[in-house]
Amino acid sequence: MTQSKSIIRVESLGKKYSIGNNQQERYQSLRDVIASKVKSVFSKQEENNDFEDFWALKDVNFDIQQGDRVGIIGRNGAGKSTLLKVLSRITEPTTGSIAIKGRVASLLEVGTGFHPELTGRENIFLNGAILGMGRKEIKAKFDEIVDFSEIEQFLDTPVKRYSSGMYVRLAFAVAAHLEPEILIVDEVLAVGDSKFQKKCLGKMGEVSSQGRTILFVSHNTTFVRSLCNKGIWLDKGQVKQTGSTAEVINSYLSSMHDQVFDENSELHNNLNRRGNGDARFSKIVITDTKDIELPAFLSGDDIKFNFEIKINKNLSALSISIMFKSTTGEIVTNTEMKDISHFLRPNQKDYTVALSIVLEKTPFRTGEYEMYFWLGQSVETYFDVVDSVLPPLQISTDKDEDELAYNPAAPYGFFDINTHIITAK
């Protein structure tokens, strides 16, 4: 039995950034220098207090074997994209070492590695040259790349005129077909339509069967589970767990229960919340309609939001709403403001209202969704707005996502959700 060869070894890896108002850039214009000097004259802060160190990655260790398909998961800000940039040599590590054997092709951000003034055809040859391939070798793969990308009509158009979806189609086709030993893919595939996403997953599976190694970052745990044989869970820049894909994903999803939003939680006491405070959320719990707390839901499920709301002043009107955003910051949907004024107690204050709202047959795409909760009387008058106080809502589906209720003109698409209040006291 032959032993698998280690193709990526990471030891004590760290990446530090300095964040603050007076960071020194590698290049400064004369205007920047003058502005910096003027600012320092009027600043009340000492220079050393104007920035702080932030470790995006810290003491990261793992070993990847040739032919492994590794899914890297974690919440937003966990360090996933930073890790891939360090492995791709886009940014240098602050501490530690990386040993990589073989040619690396990366697909990290829309447009990465493309020259905007060059055509799609010219960029194919440019990317091949960057990977160390000869012109003859690239030409042998050229037709396959064009067929896979499905953008032959625009091949001789400068890529600066491409849509984000066209960028991704061509970039993935180039990265997957120019035979790198290691293929690194970030969440950028979420930009493409669902059929192309599935086509890419199939291609990555084919690449892996040829003995090549894949590192795949995605919030879509269904995709990770179907493609990858190993998983790495990052949390706050550190490796939380490594192992089989199923074990790592299950641990990650179960961790969603570790953070709760109530009056005794750290999250509740340290919120960046907005509003005049006449009414405030004091507890939020997400369950299914049988009141079972779940780490994830299927698209099409009914999802129940259980609220406790502290009424601090005598109020005559009160409404509630929930907003969802995608991992790329797009507003996916904002539930209709629900009037819950009839649960208020006339001429009373300092009491708690408990109610539950069900979102019916939620037609979300697979992925993670940040949630924003709103209390108020009108758009102009609001009492409490809390952002991302719960772990992102995890949604997966085995359906063809083109069948879901989306606006095809947008990557996610704005849609309406039917809601109803089922309990109150």
Side-chain angles (χ1 to χ4, degrees), residues 271-318:
L271 287 179
N272 179 20
R273 65 200 308 169
R274 305 180 298 281
N276 62 23
D278 288 357
R280 284 167 67 98
F281 292 104
S282 57
K283 188 173 183 178
I284 306 173
V285 178
I286 303 176
T287 69
D288 65 6
T289 53
K290 296 180 181 179
D291 293 324
I292 299 173
E293 289 188 52
L294 296 175
F297 294 85
L298 289 174
S299 183
D301 282 352
D302 291 348
I303 302 176
K304 184 178 177 184
F305 288 81
N306 304 278
F307 298 99
E308 289 184 7
I309 299 168
K310 182 70 183 300
I311 310 300
N312 297 314
K313 290 191 176 181
N314 177 21
L315 299 176
S316 59
L318 183 63

Side-chain angles (χ1 to χ4, degrees), residues 57-74:
L57 298 171
K58 194 168 186 178
D59 196 28
V60 173
N61 298 273
F62 58 82
D63 194 78
I64 295 174
Q65 307 298 313
Q66 182 177 344
D68 278 347
R69 305 178 307 280
V70 182
I72 302 175
I73 60 176

Side-chain angles (χ1 to χ4, degrees), residues 13-169:
L13 180 67
K15 179 61 182 178
K16 180 178 71 174
Y17 293 99
S18 292
I19 56 176
N21 294 326
N22 284 344
Q23 297 179 59
Q24 295 296 315
E25 302 293 337
R26 292 185 177 179
Y27 170 79
Q28 287 188 308
S29 67
L30 178 61
R31 181 180 60 183
D32 295 330
V33 173
I34 294 172
S36 179
K37 293 294 184 183
V38 172
K39 184 175 179 181
S40 66
V41 171
F42 293 98
S43 175
K44 294 181 180 180
Q45 291 182 303
E46 294 295 326
E47 184 177 350
N48 291 337
N49 293 330
D50 285 341
F51 64 90
E52 60 179 333
D53 292 337
F54 169 72
W55 287 90
L57 298 171
K58 194 168 186 178
D59 196 28
V60 173
N61 298 273
F62 58 82
D63 194 78
I64 295 174
Q65 307 298 313
Q66 182 177 344
D68 278 347
R69 305 178 307 280
V70 182
I72 302 175
I73 60 176
R75 292 192 63 182
N76 291 335
K80 305 184 297 297
S81 295
T82 301
L83 175 61
L84 296 195
K85 287 179 181 178
V86 173
L87 293 176
S88 301
R89 309 297 193 192
I90 292 173
T91 184
E92 290 295 318
T94 306
T95 62
S97 63
I98 305 169
I100 298 178
K101 299 177 182 178
R103 192 162 56 193
V104 178
S106 302
L107 183 59
L108 304 183
E109 296 174 354
V110 174
T112 300
F114 279 10
H115 192 296
E117 300 296 335
L118 299 181
T119 66
R121 183 188 304 274
E122 292 166 337
N123 270 290
I124 292 174
F125 283 94
L126 174 63
N127 273 261
I130 291 172
L131 286 171
M133 301 177 68
R135 186 174 182 85
K136 186 176 180 180
E137 193 177 359
I138 300 170
K139 287 183 73 174
K141 294 287 183 181
F142 186 84
D143 290 342
E144 289 182 54
I145 292 171
V146 175
D147 288 343
F148 189 93
S149 66
E150 301 174 2
I151 62 162
E152 183 175 6
Q153 181 181 355
F154 306 99
L155 197 58
D156 293 306
T157 301
V159 297
K160 67 181 180 181
R161 306 193 190 283
Y162 284 13
S163 67
S164 59
M166 291 166 65
Y167 256 121
V168 169
R169 285 174 175 271

Side-chain angles (χ1 to χ4, degrees), residues 414-425:
F414 194 94
F415 57 88
D416 296 322
I417 298 180
N418 292 325
T419 62
H420 65 272
I421 298 174
I422 61 170
T423 61
K425 61 181 178 180

Side-chain angles (χ1 to χ4, degrees), residues 214-273:
I214 294 175
L215 273 67
F216 180 46
V217 162
S218 179
H219 289 95
N220 187 332
T221 53
T222 302
F223 283 178
V224 174
R225 198 185 295 268
S226 65
L227 173 68
C228 302
N229 66 318
K230 292 185 179 178
I232 297 175
W233 171 17
L234 286 181
D235 183 52
K236 297 178 181 177
Q238 296 182 303
V239 175
K240 188 84 170 180
Q241 184 179 347
T242 61
S244 72
T245 309
E247 291 173 346
V248 172
I249 288 177
N250 289 342
S251 296
Y252 169 59
L253 293 180
S254 296
S255 74
M256 298 302 178
H257 295 302
D258 294 341
Q259 292 181 304
V260 296
F261 176 79
D262 60 30
E263 289 185 304
N264 299 316
S265 69
E266 182 180 350
L267 284 172
H268 185 275
N269 296 325
N270 292 281
L271 287 179
N272 179 20
R273 65 200 308 169

